[in-house]
Amino acid sequence: MENGGFDLDLKALSGLLNRLDQSVSNTALDDALGRGTGPLGNLARKLADVFGSSSVRYAPHGTSLANVALVLALNSLTRKRLKLAVDRSCHKSLVAGLALINAEIVWIERDVSPVCDVPMPLTAKHFRALLEAHNDLHAVFVTSPTYEGFSSDDPAAIAEVFRASDTRLIVDSAWGVYGGLFSNTEFPNSTAPFASASVFSAHKKGVGLSGASFVTFNDAALCAAYEKFCDLGFVSTSPNFINYLVLEHCTDFWISPMGHACADRLARESRNFRMRLAEIDGVQVVAASDLGKGVADDPSHVLIDISDTKRSGRQVADYLARRHAMDIEMVIAEKILFLFGPAHISTWPNIVRALQDALTNLEPETGPREVVAPSPIADDWRGMHDAIMTPTRQVLPTHAVGCVAAFPISAYPPGRPLIHPGERFSKEIVDYLIAIEAEGARLIGVKGALNEFGFTVTDESS
């Protein structure tokens, strides 16, 4: 059959899809979570061995569903209302899980580096103080590494803090898969060997297709509870089995001598990339040493500050997209984040030349620069659960102050939540969201342009 210029054999395609569909009786496909004795189970055991954890279970539809399933799993292990310490920079999927179980939440507020205005990683000192202040916590949920690629340089010290406590540590390590694959290298070591559970997005670093994710466990009870909720529907009976195939081939490559040689070269060329960027007039490379002691950085995340060039990150990103067909991972007014992977080992000089071209040809910006984010909101009106489960309405920014958010709102980039469900909109928050939208930021958690759709708030709020 002719279809858009391609010969399409529908019979062959149908047969292939049926063989890849778990809902069709095919025992050779193995268990979708990785509990079986076939190829998927073998890959899960290989990943557990590589990452240094007790076991691995797949999250074939991404870490978002895994986060929700983990929260529900944790809730099922206690008869009490859960009290959880949660990184305020958590992904919105974790907010969904927290709202469903109506947990008591203690927000973890990260320090921000006064030198380069970057959120600091959490260290053993932070966790020790947290557990001393709240000795009745059931679990701590954190994000590590940060989106900018920073983490603690002493995960062993963090492990000791939690070994001395009954509190579970659950880590959203969506950006940390290289740290698990390349232990004892320039890549920061992962939390997989000691955290109760760590969630990894393999696809974010090209170790799998979109959605390829998995969870490492060192807690048999939590793992069993996670399996229970996945079996109830959080993992479909028909995942994309090609995802597993690509994950297996990528894992086999990276743990091979050739893969480790590639990782070493990647780290080496990332250093060269950073050095050349630092030679550009007005560009500062933000390194772990700029954030102080106890911080490690990931060679695959390269963050630069361009404030001294008098150009904005969004100006530069626009120019690179139009003139050089380059898609930048993250930009804000004064910073640009590059993700550095195998494809950039030999092509990074092109990025340097393109950036030089942009800074040479763009006109300096005039007027105010970075819009400073307001402090986090502490007024929890009646809890996240009630705020999300309540009927909602839309309000324009001019009428939003004092209303209660019914949805987490963040700006991409960089994607960190600015207000969580149950918190009231302050004038500072509203003004900030309007200002960064005008700068070109994409707001997540709103239905469209603020002057047309406004914010989603609880119907009872005033």
Side-chain angles (χ1 to χ4, degrees):
M1 178 185 295
E2 291 291 328
N3 187 350
F6 294 95
D7 290 326
L8 183 62
D9 187 339
L10 289 179
K11 184 177 179 181
L13 179 61
S14 177
L16 173 64
L17 294 177
N18 282 339
R19 287 193 296 275
L20 291 173
D21 191 341
Q22 182 77 319
S23 64
V24 175
S25 179
N26 189 338
T27 55
L29 284 176
D30 204 358
D31 175 75
L33 281 178
R35 293 169 292 192
T37 58
L40 299 187
N42 292 338
L43 175 58
R45 286 182 285 276
K46 180 186 293 184
L47 287 167
D49 183 57
V50 170
F51 279 73
S53 63
S54 298
S55 60
V56 160
R57 294 294 179 261
Y58 300 119
H61 302 304
T63 55
S64 295
L65 278 179
N67 281 332
V68 177
L70 275 171
V71 172
L72 294 175
L74 184 66
N75 190 57
S76 72
L77 297 178
T78 180
R79 294 170 186 255
K80 298 179 180 178
R81 184 189 182 198
L82 284 184
K83 182 176 181 180
L84 307 173
V86 181
D87 193 338
R88 192 176 174 88
S89 298
C90 68
H91 190 266
K92 65 181 179 182
S93 59
L94 188 57
V95 172
L98 296 171
L100 288 173
I101 66 170
N102 195 21
E104 179 184 351
I105 298 170
V106 176
W107 289 118
I108 301 172
E109 309 287 359
R110 289 179 182 261
D111 296 330
V112 175
S113 167
V115 177
C116 46
D117 195 33
V118 171
M120 298 286 288
L122 298 168
T123 65
K125 180 180 178 181
H126 291 104
F127 290 118
R128 192 175 294 111
L130 175 69
L131 296 178
E132 287 174 358
H134 302 277
N135 59 10
D136 56 345
L137 289 171
H138 291 96
V140 176
F141 283 83
V142 296
T143 303
S144 181
T146 65
Y147 184 42
E148 294 83 4
F150 298 108
S151 58
S152 167
D153 71 350
D154 193 1
I158 297 174
E160 285 304 312
V161 171
F162 282 91
R163 284 195 190 103
S165 167
D166 292 330
T167 304
R168 289 178 165 99
L169 173 64
I170 300 175
V171 183
D172 184 343
S173 193
W175 292 98
V177 72
Y178 279 172
L181 287 170
F182 316 133
S183 57
N184 302 317
T185 64
E186 290 188 42
F187 292 85
N189 289 334
S190 81
T191 57
F194 65 87
S196 299
S198 298
V199 184
F200 292 90
S201 294
H203 63 94
K204 288 188 183 298
K205 293 297 179 67
V207 188
L209 300 176
S210 183
S213 305
F214 56 89
V215 186
T216 60
F217 286 98
N218 295 296
D219 184 323
L222 184 60
C223 180
Y226 172 81
E227 292 172 358
K228 176 178 71 175
F229 283 97
C230 287
D231 288 338
L232 286 171
F234 281 90
V235 170
S236 165
T237 57
S238 304
N240 181 356
F241 280 86
I242 295 176
N243 244 334
Y244 296 98
L245 178 65
V246 176
L247 177 60
E248 180 180 41
H249 279 273
C250 289
T251 300
D252 286 343
F253 168 76
W254 284 117
I255 65 177
S256 71
M258 185 181 294
H260 275 269
C262 182
D264 288 340
R265 188 179 175 202
L266 191 155
R268 184 171 63 252
E269 293 302 328
S270 173
R271 288 196 304 273
N272 292 334
F273 179 46
R274 292 169 188 233
M275 285 190 293
R276 286 289 290 111
L277 288 171
E279 292 172 0
I280 300 175
D281 192 32
V283 173
Q284 176 196 351
V285 177
V286 182
S289 56
D290 297 317
L291 276 66
K293 293 181 180 180
V295 181
D297 52 14
D298 184 332
S300 62
H301 292 240
V302 179
L303 182 67
I304 62 172
D305 186 311
I306 61 168
S307 54
D308 289 345
T309 69
K310 307 304 179 187
R311 279 78 171 172
S312 78
R314 294 190 181 95
Q315 262 187 308
V316 171
D318 252 7
Y319 187 92
L320 294 181
R322 284 186 290 104
R323 300 294 296 272
H324 297 276
M326 286 185 179
D327 183 20
I328 305 304
E329 172 62 26
M330 185 273 279
V331 292
I332 53 178
E334 297 183 346
K335 292 185 178 65
I336 297 174
L337 175 66
F338 299 98
L339 291 185
F340 193 92
H344 305 109
I345 286 175
S346 59
T347 63
W348 64 259
N350 298 336
I351 302 174
V352 173
R353 285 190 289 270
L355 180 61
Q356 290 173 315
D357 176 45
L359 295 177
T360 300
N361 288 292
L362 287 170
E363 292 294 325
E365 282 195 334
T366 57
R369 297 300 310 281
E370 184 85 61
V371 182
V372 179
S375 299
I377 305 300
D379 179 16
D380 191 355
W381 171 59
R382 61 177 184 180
M384 190 179 288
H385 174 81
D386 287 344
I388 286 183
M389 297 302 181
T390 269
T392 62
R393 61 190 174 95
Q394 299 299 122
V395 294
L396 293 175
T398 50
H399 297 91
V401 174
C403 292
V404 175
F407 208 83
I409 299 176
S410 55
Y412 186 87
R416 286 185 291 275
L418 302 167
I419 189 167
H420 279 293
E423 295 176 333
R424 292 187 184 275
F425 282 95
S426 65
K427 184 177 186 302
E428 291 76 16
I429 283 282
V430 173
D431 289 347
Y432 176 74
L433 290 170
I434 292 171
I436 59 176
E437 183 190 49
E439 280 190 356
R442 178 165 61 92
L443 301 185
I444 309 229
V446 299
K447 296 180 182 296
L450 291 182
N451 62 353
E452 295 180 31
F453 297 93
F455 304 109
T456 306
V457 300
T458 61
D459 205 19
E460 291 85 354
S461 58
S462 60

